Amino acid sequence: MRVVLPLWLLGLIGQSVAHFVLFSPVSLGYDDTRETESPCGSFDATDRSTGVTDWPVEGYPVSILTTHGSVTWEANAALISEGAITWVPLVLPFAQTGVGDVCFTQVPGNPAWVGQAAVVQLIQHAPDGLLYQVR
């Protein structure tokens, strides 16, 4: 029997340090070799060149491909304003097992921030360290 894999998956398998890919909402940027750089995987949290995502207070779905079999996730947010960015948890850290696609159906927004520009950060506590992506 012959197994046919999608080209994007073959590209991930070929990377020796693949971690996780944020599919929805689309990450501000992705660089697998710099995903360990806090707080945003080497990308600027204030960059809006890839657009913005309206994040309802009641929650937004998050879809990820992970290449680690056992991890803990954090979902945080911060207002984009002048000065230091202060990260606030959106949910309690939670465990996930199994390699492949994972979907968190409702990551809530912060009701105190309605109408303000913010950024959402996902942190994966993986066997090889902390990994970061933002939207």
Side-chain angles (χ1 to χ4, degrees):
M1 179 168 78
R2 188 174 129 195
V3 176
V4 178
L5 297 174
L7 289 176
W8 63 268
L9 185 56
L10 290 174
L12 287 177
I13 292 171
Q15 297 177 8
S16 61
V17 291
H19 302 300
F20 79 94
V21 179
L22 178 59
F23 285 129
S24 176
V26 176
S27 178
L28 287 181
Y30 178 78
D31 183 341
D32 188 64
T33 61
R34 299 181 69 188
E35 201 171 22
T36 59
E37 294 180 25
S38 174
C40 302
S42 78
F43 292 89
D44 179 2
T46 63
D47 181 6
R48 295 290 151 240
S49 64
T50 61
V52 297
T53 300
D54 287 330
W55 203 284
V57 171
E58 54 276 354
Y60 192 87
V62 174
S63 175
I64 300 167
L65 171 70
T66 181
T67 61
H68 294 296
S70 181
V71 298
T72 300
W73 292 98
E74 287 183 56
N76 304 311
L79 289 174
I80 297 173
S81 59
E82 294 181 29
I85 292 179
T86 302
W87 297 100
V88 176
L90 293 175
V91 296
L92 295 174
F94 50 96
Q96 179 255 323
T97 57
V99 173
D101 293 326
V102 60
C103 183
F104 309 113
T105 57
Q106 293 290 334
V107 176
N110 186 330
W113 296 353
V114 170
Q116 299 182 64
V119 63
V120 174
Q121 172 197 58
L122 291 171
I123 303 173
Q124 183 185 71
H125 296 253
D128 54 349
L130 297 177
L131 307 170
Y132 303 87
Q133 287 196 37
V134 293
R135 178 57 182 171

